[in-house]
């Protein structure tokens, strides 16, 4: 599936508020849907590139032989889920960023659905 279709699929996840596909090398969003007045996805996407970069530096410093699958940020009213795309499969610097309403979302199902979207995504 293409980027637009993938983002629309992610927005069908129960509780989804916004989603973006982000290049964490540049901090730029390749596409986004949702958000609104209280959630600027462009700013959030750029800011979360720093989260990804920071965690990758820690993994490197610890000499771990592993890769990040996803990062979860839990707020009182929201989940922010960052799912890195498999390295080498679609480039080494992309992630899906999904914001969920915590009261409505099923986190396990959201993670499962993002994994399926990643597998079908063509960039």
């Amino acid at each position: 599936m293409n980027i637009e279709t993938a983002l629309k699929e992610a927005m069908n996840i129960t509780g989804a508020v916004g989603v973006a596909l982000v290049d964490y090398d540049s901090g730029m969003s390749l596409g986004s849907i949702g958000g609104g007045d209280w959630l600027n996805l462009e700013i959030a996407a750029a800011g979360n590139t720093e989260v990804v970069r920071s965690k990758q530096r820690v993994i490197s410093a610890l000499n771990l032989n592993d890769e990040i699958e996803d990062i979860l940020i839990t707020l009182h009213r929201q989940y922010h889920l960052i799912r890195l795309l498999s390295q080498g499969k679609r480039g080494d610097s992309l992630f899906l960023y999904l914001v969920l309403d915590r009261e409505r979302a099923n986190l396990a199902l959201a993670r499962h659905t993002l994994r399926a979207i990643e597998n079908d995504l063509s960039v």
Side-chain angles (χ1 to χ4, degrees), residues 37-59:
D37 292 339
W38 56 272
L39 176 62
N40 183 321
L41 281 172
E42 294 299 318
I43 292 172
N48 280 303
T49 62
E50 293 302 318
V51 172
V52 172
R53 290 175 190 162
S54 177
K55 190 60 186 171
Q56 286 182 324
R57 282 191 300 270
V58 171
I59 289 171

Side-chain angles (χ1 to χ4, degrees), residues 61-93:
L62 294 172
N63 292 318
L64 299 178
N65 186 21
D66 214 342
E67 296 176 1
I68 299 169
E69 184 175 331
D70 60 36
I71 298 169
L72 172 64
I73 300 168
T74 305
L75 304 177
H76 289 289
R77 292 181 295 241
Q78 300 171 357
Y79 292 122
H80 291 231
L81 187 56
I82 300 167
R83 178 159 184 92
L84 277 70
L85 300 189
S86 298
Q87 293 192 356
K89 189 173 179 184
R90 287 171 200 84
D92 293 338
S93 65

Side-chain angles (χ1 to χ4, degrees), residues 1-45:
M1 75 177 74
N2 64 24
I3 294 171
E4 182 180 353
T5 303
L7 296 175
K8 287 178 181 176
E9 286 288 319
M11 282 302 291
N12 286 329
I13 297 170
T14 301
V17 175
V19 63
L21 180 64
V22 184
D23 180 336
Y24 61 82
D25 279 342
S26 68
M28 301 296 293
S29 173
L30 281 74
S32 64
I33 298 176
D37 292 339
W38 56 272
L39 176 62
N40 183 321
L41 281 172
E42 294 299 318
I43 292 172

